Every structure is written in C-alpha cells, then in structure tokens.
Amino acid sequence: MKTRLQLQPNSLRFVASKVAIDGIIFGPLDLLVFFTYMGFSAGKSAPQVKEDVKRDFLPALILEGGIWPILQVANFRFVPVRSPGNS
C-alpha cells in the first residue's frame, strides 16, 4: 500500500488510508464470515443463519465502527510492519 499511494509510513494520511480500507472492506466482510460461521457451527439451517445475519449484522457493524478504528489507528501507527526479507 505504501508504494501504491506514495505515502510515508506512520503519516496521518497513510494511517487514515489503512483504517478506512480496513473499515470499508475488511470490517463488513469479517462480520459476515463470522456470523455465518457461528450460525452454521451452532447447527442452524441456512435460512436461520440468514435471519441471524439480517438481524445482527448492522448493529454489530455500527458498534465495530465506533470502537475498532481507534484501535486500528494505534495498531497502524505504532506497531512496526516487518518486511518479507526481514526476519
């Protein structure tokens, strides 16, 4: 991402871009996978899982949107990224 956007690591724009991408793409996808997996692992049928997702997805996404970005800012700003060549 750093080379594509030409942003300095730890800069405000770099961190904001990563938080936005995480919240817009990965947050909803992760919740959908989580609720689907939890429903099927509990032995529910596909229609039951679909109803659970319809009922729980939006409230969970709103709650996640209020908490997770704060944690991700700290994560993306202060936790160093290891390069593939650096072990």
Side-chain angles (χ1 to χ4, degrees), residues 1 8 17 30 32 36 39 59-60 62 65 68 70-71 77-78 83:
M1 186 168 141
Q8 293 295 333
S17 298
D30 288 345
L32 181 63
T36 303
I62 291 168
W68 199 242
I70 297 165
L71 299 173
R77 173 65 178 92
F78 300 110
S83 300

Side-chain angles (χ1 to χ4, degrees), residues 44-80:
K44 294 182 178 181
S45 67
Q48 289 173 316
V49 170
K50 184 177 178 181
E51 282 303 311
D52 288 351
V53 169
K54 284 171 64 174
R55 180 191 67 228
D56 297 335
F57 181 80
L58 190 57
L61 186 63
I62 291 168
L63 182 62
E64 177 186 276
I67 296 170
W68 199 242
I70 297 165
L71 299 173
Q72 287 295 61
V73 166
N75 177 35
F76 294 138
R77 173 65 178 92
F78 300 110
V79 177

